[in-house]
Amino acid sequence: MRGQVKTIRVMTYNVHHCLGSDGRFDAGRVVQVIDQGGADIIALQDLQSATEKGTLAHFGRALGMNSYAGSPDSPLGFLSQLSLQGVQEYPLGAGGICLRGDTCIGGKRLHLFNVRLGSTDRGRQIASLLGPELLGSRSVSCPTLVLGDFSDLWWGAGNLNLALSLEKVGRPLWSATYPARFPLAARDRIYLRGGLRVLDYRVLRHRLARQGSTHLPFLVTVQVVDPRTHLKVEKLHRNRMETAPG
């Protein structure tokens, strides 16, 4: 018997209003960078733009993906090859914001939290994120991905609570995303919880990615696994070992 396992690739990317590290506005570069990542779902931050070409709807049309936002002028959005349900925006206080949505992978629900924290009072914002309305809610009981721009260069306020509640993807030296030209800090991060197994993670560091925004995109590939099936298989294997001859 094999567990029901599905694979999904997810990206987080702060597009910095399509203003590149070279000081030039170019929404086309951002579209190319997103496309080269090959992700099934993309969590975008800092989407506000002076032109229509920098909007979430434009990205969706250019990439042939569904677009989801909490409000028309929101700085956060999802692009997805999959259908998302229950997309809703939540303020975290002090300029922080979270966009939540759910999807279905292999018959199992996956919770997605797209986060953009403010640079001040981060402890309060993270407490809100972990609180009863969001990650602390009883309704958030399925595999969960939390991803976005956490707005800290090193060890910021509230990070200990994040580390105690969620599993971080990547190591600081290999997952640095900011600033794009010479990344030193893992400001853009992905956390997970529940029946998820990390298969691969990487930061896009090619020339176009270094120019397209002041942040680099961070991707993770995960398997969504039904833990009940794995428990049955584990129990079966243990019983076989107990009854094996010799």
Side-chain angles (χ1 to χ4, degrees):
M1 181 185 298
R2 297 183 61 184
Q4 187 179 59
V5 180
K6 293 292 182 180
T7 301
I8 185 171
R9 177 177 293 172
V10 181
M11 171 194 287
T12 180
Y13 190 20
N14 184 322
V15 299
H16 194 239
H17 323 294
C18 299
L19 187 64
S21 59
D22 56 3
R24 183 165 61 91
F25 174 89
D26 190 341
R29 289 189 303 195
V30 173
V31 169
Q32 290 181 61
V33 172
I34 295 172
D35 189 42
Q36 290 172 7
D40 302 294
I41 298 176
I42 302 101
L44 298 173
Q45 304 89 40
D46 284 355
L47 279 162
Q48 302 106 319
S49 172
T51 75
E52 190 276 337
K53 286 188 176 180
T55 64
L56 179 67
H58 170 76
F59 291 148
R61 290 191 296 269
L63 294 162
M65 303 181 79
N66 302 314
S67 58
Y68 300 88
S71 61
D73 58 348
S74 174
L76 304 181
F78 287 111
L79 296 174
S80 180
Q81 300 285 4
L82 309 171
S83 176
L84 301 187
Q85 300 85 37
V87 176
Q88 187 173 352
E89 192 171 277
Y90 297 83
L92 300 176
I97 190 169
C98 174
L99 184 66
R100 177 186 169 180
D102 294 349
T103 191
C104 188
I105 307 293
K108 191 166 185 66
R109 185 176 296 272
L110 175 67
H111 304 303
L112 298 160
F113 291 82
N114 180 4
V115 175
R116 173 62 161 94
L117 298 187
S119 58
T120 60
D121 205 1
R122 294 181 66 261
R124 173 188 168 192
Q125 296 170 58
I126 291 174
S128 297
L129 177 63
L130 298 174
E133 192 174 9
L134 291 168
L135 287 166
S137 170
R138 292 183 179 180
S139 66
V140 183
S141 58
C142 297
T144 301
L145 282 171
V146 183
L147 63 168
D149 179 3
F150 288 81
S151 298
D152 56 341
L153 296 180
W154 307 112
W155 185 259
N159 283 359
L160 178 60
N161 289 336
L162 280 175
L164 292 173
S165 303
L166 303 164
E167 179 185 347
K168 181 182 173 183
V169 176
R171 299 179 180 180
L173 291 178
W174 297 106
S175 56
T177 61
Y178 184 86
R181 282 184 177 271
F182 189 68
L184 297 173
R187 176 170 161 168
D188 306 273
R189 301 197 291 273
I190 299 176
Y191 294 88
L192 55 84
R193 184 175 72 184
L196 296 172
R197 179 182 298 125
V198 176
L199 300 181
D200 178 60
Y201 67 87
R202 60 192 175 103
V203 176
L204 296 186
R205 303 180 186 274
H206 53 71
R207 183 170 178 269
L208 195 63
R210 290 178 183 271
Q211 293 178 339
S213 171
T214 54
H215 297 246
L216 296 175
F218 186 31
L219 296 104
V220 65
T221 304
V222 296
Q223 286 182 337
V224 183
V225 184
D226 186 344
R228 295 170 300 178
T229 306
H230 279 271
L231 287 174
K232 292 177 182 178
V233 173
E234 183 182 352
K235 183 177 179 181
L236 179 62
H237 287 169
R238 186 167 58 248
N239 289 342
R240 284 178 176 173
M241 289 177 65
E242 292 171 352
T243 58

